Amino acid sequence: MSLLLEIKVVPSSGRIAWAIDRSGQIKCFLKSPPEHGKANRELIKLIAQSLGLQQGQVRIVFGETSRKKRVKIDADISQTDILRILHLDQQVCLFDIKDK
């Protein structure tokens, strides 16, 4: 089973953090710059580590050169589980965002 997740990336932010914006978009703040795939590699590594997966189970399927990315996660996991693991579930409640 797999899941597609849309993530807006903020490279070169000087921090590593997850957030939900008012529109319900998951945002990931990365330290790496958006050059030579560094930010993409950091995003994949961060997602895999956070979810307890192998890096090979996470890949960017759309948006390699864009800040808006579509990430495929090859694991039996729901978006609700991901939000809980990344501690974003409380932010979702603040904005009254429904599970997509």
Side-chain angles (χ1 to χ4, degrees), residues 27-40:
K27 291 177 77 172
C28 183
F29 297 87
L30 301 170
K31 289 184 178 182
S32 298
E35 54 190 34
H36 308 293
K38 290 178 184 176
N40 288 340

Side-chain angles (χ1 to χ4, degrees), residues 22 24 89-99:
R22 290 192 179 273
D89 50 343
Q90 294 174 350
Q91 289 183 36
V92 170
C93 293
L94 287 175
F95 297 123
D96 193 32
I97 300 166
K98 305 296 182 220
D99 193 351

Side-chain angles (χ1 to χ4, degrees), residues 55-75:
Q55 288 184 35
Q57 291 177 273
V58 180
R59 65 186 167 103
I60 298 170
V61 294
F62 178 81
E64 286 275 334
T65 59
S66 172
R67 289 178 187 247
K68 291 187 177 183
K69 305 196 182 291
R70 192 167 295 139
V71 178
K72 183 176 182 184
I73 301 170
D74 291 320

Side-chain angles (χ1 to χ4, degrees), residues 67-85:
R67 289 178 187 247
K68 291 187 177 183
K69 305 196 182 291
R70 192 167 295 139
V71 178
K72 183 176 182 184
I73 301 170
D74 291 320
D76 188 18
I77 191 166
S78 70
Q79 184 170 344
T80 303
D81 292 335
I82 290 173
L83 294 175
R84 182 182 45 75
I85 292 166

